[in-house]
Amino acid sequence: NAGVTQTPKFRILKIGQSMTLQCAQDMNHNYMYWYRQDPGMGLKLIYYSVGAGITDKGEVPNGYNVSRSTTEDFPLRLELAAPSQTSVYFCASSYSIYSGAAKNIQYFGAGTRLSVL
Amino acid sequence: DQQVKQNSPSLSVQEGRISILNCDYTNSMFDYFLWYKKYPAEGPTFLISISSIKDKNEDGRFTVFLNKSAKHLSLHIVPSQPGDSAVYFCAASARETSGSRLTFGEGTQLTVNP
């Protein structure tokens, strides 16, 4: 079982270019998340989704867009890349239940390291 | 507004000794707390969690303590092993939060020396 799969692992963009970071999960989780991690900082939530067709902004959504057409996939789109978007991006998923030990444990992909030059 | 804070960027301990990682929070609505471990070039992996109705949760060498009045939690690792060397993130969530979002601390780099 693959869990959460992110592609690509590394990417270098020029300022103004666009790209899509792919994220897929095979655990049938209804919740999915995108985070960015800057050096020495914690993970900041960019966007999240509580199910197919439903997305919402997190702490740092500017410059990004998402879509969720299926339960499995949650791509993150950068339309006009800027140097401030140089970061490591993590996708996560969870099946949130409010009882038992499984409450809101998020499972993460290995990350995409993005440099914008 | 940093609602979850890990004040120690790094911690170094000897193998076999206890590692204590600390985390403070400000949001009184947080009711569930988690610790994640992260190795270089990998995603964070879940380690242990605790509900606000408890003050301690233990799983093998790992124990998390919660002091609600002080809005403080800590992770104890006993005995520490070189393989425990990683970045540890504290995270918190509130029941009423849409999507069960987590708020993360900045992380503490733990180094366990042989």
Side-chain angles (χ1 to χ4, degrees):
Chain A
N1 52 352
V4 179
T5 303
Q6 291 185 239
T7 55
K9 293 190 186 305
F10 305 95
R11 185 72 185 268
I12 298 175
L13 284 182
K14 293 183 179 178
I15 295 172
Q17 286 186 319
S18 61
M19 77 164 293
T20 299
L21 284 69
Q22 300 292 344
C23 176
Q25 54 93 7
D26 61 0
M27 297 175 281
N28 202 31
H29 286 166
N30 48 354
Y31 291 0
M32 295 188 74
Y33 313 84
W34 274 106
Y35 295 90
R36 60 177 287 172
Q37 185 192 12
D38 299 323
M41 304 291 288
L43 284 76
K44 300 292 186 185
L45 183 65
I46 305 171
Y47 271 95
Y48 68 99
S49 169
V50 299
I54 307 170
T55 63
D56 208 345
K57 297 178 180 178
E59 298 176 73
V60 289
N62 292 342
Y64 307 95
N65 279 299
V66 293
S67 59
R68 182 102 181 265
S69 57
T70 67
T71 299
E72 294 78 19
D73 300 296
F74 190 39
L76 177 72
R77 179 85 177 160
L78 283 70
E79 291 292 350
L80 291 170
S84 62
Q85 293 177 306
T86 294
S87 190
V88 181
Y89 291 84
F90 291 102
C91 178
S93 71
S94 73
Y95 180 63
S96 181
I97 57 175
Y98 278 86
S99 61
K103 178 181 184 292
N104 197 30
I105 295 173
Q106 294 185 14
Y107 297 86
F108 285 80
T112 294
R113 185 175 295 275
L114 176 67
S115 294
V116 182
L117 305 175
Chain B
D1 176 24
Q2 188 69 24
Q3 297 186 62
V4 177
K5 195 152 183 64
Q6 296 174 253
N7 290 311
S8 298
S10 63
L11 174 67
S12 182
V13 300
Q14 287 299 119
E15 181 178 6
R17 304 294 292 270
I18 185 171
S19 295
I20 301 176
L21 295 93
N22 294 302
C23 178
D24 297 296
Y25 63 96
T26 57
N27 188 343
S28 58
M29 299 301 291
F30 287 147
D31 65 344
Y32 196 69
F33 303 89
L34 307 89
W35 284 94
Y36 280 81
K37 179 168 71 173
K38 184 184 179 305
Y39 293 118
E42 294 184 10
T45 56
F46 169 74
L47 188 58
I48 192 169
S49 62
I50 188 167
S51 166
S52 60
I53 63 174
K54 296 184 176 181
D55 55 18
K56 176 183 174 180
N57 188 28
E58 189 172 355
D59 183 1
R61 297 186 296 113
F62 303 91
T63 303
V64 56
F65 295 92
L66 175 62
N67 183 334
K68 290 190 293 292
S69 61
K71 292 190 175 67
H72 177 84
L73 65 155
S74 61
L75 174 68
H76 293 209
I77 306 173
V78 181
S80 300
Q81 300 174 353
D84 296 329
S85 297
V87 177
Y88 289 78
F89 291 100
C90 170
S93 71
R95 173 180 285 268
E96 293 77 14
T97 302
S98 171
S100 296
R101 288 168 288 165
L102 294 178
T103 301
F104 284 84
E106 306 93 329
T108 297
Q109 171 70 58
L110 173 65
T111 302
V112 180
N113 301 301

